[in-house]
Amino acid sequence: MPQLTVGGIWLTLEQRNALEATAASIVTPGKGITACDESAATLGARMAKVGIENTEENRRKYRQMLFEAPGANDFLSGAILDPETLYQKSNTNGKTFPQVLADRGIVPGIKPHLKAYTLPGTNADTVMQGLDSLASRCKEYYLERGLQNGDLLLSLT
């Protein structure tokens, strides 16, 4: 079997197995990935259209409704999250949203960029801010927020 590397660094057998298990889970037949990685501003604009105040608590409630909807795990294999979501908890069981998703068999992932912006001096070309700090954020998400190494693959593919 071929060796796997990430950024030129060889994966241990344990890391490789975890990565392959996560990838297999994400591509479960009949299931899909949902992108719930809207920023506070984007989600706030949507809430404003229906008369809901853009607060962190209202965004948390909205995400909880999505993640704990009955039967969601019958159709979802993965969810791409905004960094804010990693720190929010369900008021049903006190677990973080990544843990809520994982407990339901839904792989939690994270978007790799912080925001897109127009590059000055171009014809409205956009670039992603935050890719330069991706390695340190991935380490934080894995060590402190409970995402598995392979979960980060979700948002990078």
Side-chain angles (χ1 to χ4, degrees), residues 60-89:
R60 187 203 65 75
K61 288 178 181 177
Y62 171 75
R63 291 169 176 142
Q64 180 172 327
M65 176 188 66
L66 291 175
F67 303 152
E68 296 182 0
N73 53 317
D74 293 333
F75 303 98
L76 294 176
S77 60
I80 303 171
L81 308 177
D82 180 76
E84 177 182 68
T85 313
L86 299 180
Y87 302 91
Q88 294 176 325
K89 294 183 178 182

Side-chain angles (χ1 to χ4, degrees), residues 44-142:
R46 291 186 180 149
M47 290 179 163
K49 289 180 181 179
V50 293
I52 298 173
E53 183 181 4
N54 182 17
T55 64
E56 183 177 355
E57 177 60 12
N58 284 340
R59 293 189 303 274
R60 187 203 65 75
K61 288 178 181 177
Y62 171 75
R63 291 169 176 142
Q64 180 172 327
M65 176 188 66
L66 291 175
F67 303 152
E68 296 182 0
N73 53 317
D74 293 333
F75 303 98
L76 294 176
S77 60
I80 303 171
L81 308 177
D82 180 76
E84 177 182 68
T85 313
L86 299 180
Y87 302 91
Q88 294 176 325
K89 294 183 178 182
S90 167
N91 67 359
T92 303
N93 55 28
K95 294 181 178 182
T96 63
F97 286 143
Q99 189 60 54
V100 168
L101 291 165
D103 288 352
R104 299 188 75 194
I106 301 169
V107 176
I110 185 75
K111 71 177 177 182
H113 63 279
L114 300 176
K115 73 177 200 172
Y117 66 94
T118 302
L119 188 62
T122 68
N123 292 324
D125 292 338
T126 57
V127 295
M128 298 294 174
Q129 181 182 36
L131 295 179
D132 54 338
S133 62
L134 181 60
S136 63
R137 286 184 289 117
C138 286
K139 185 176 180 181
E140 173 195 346
Y141 300 152
Y142 174 65

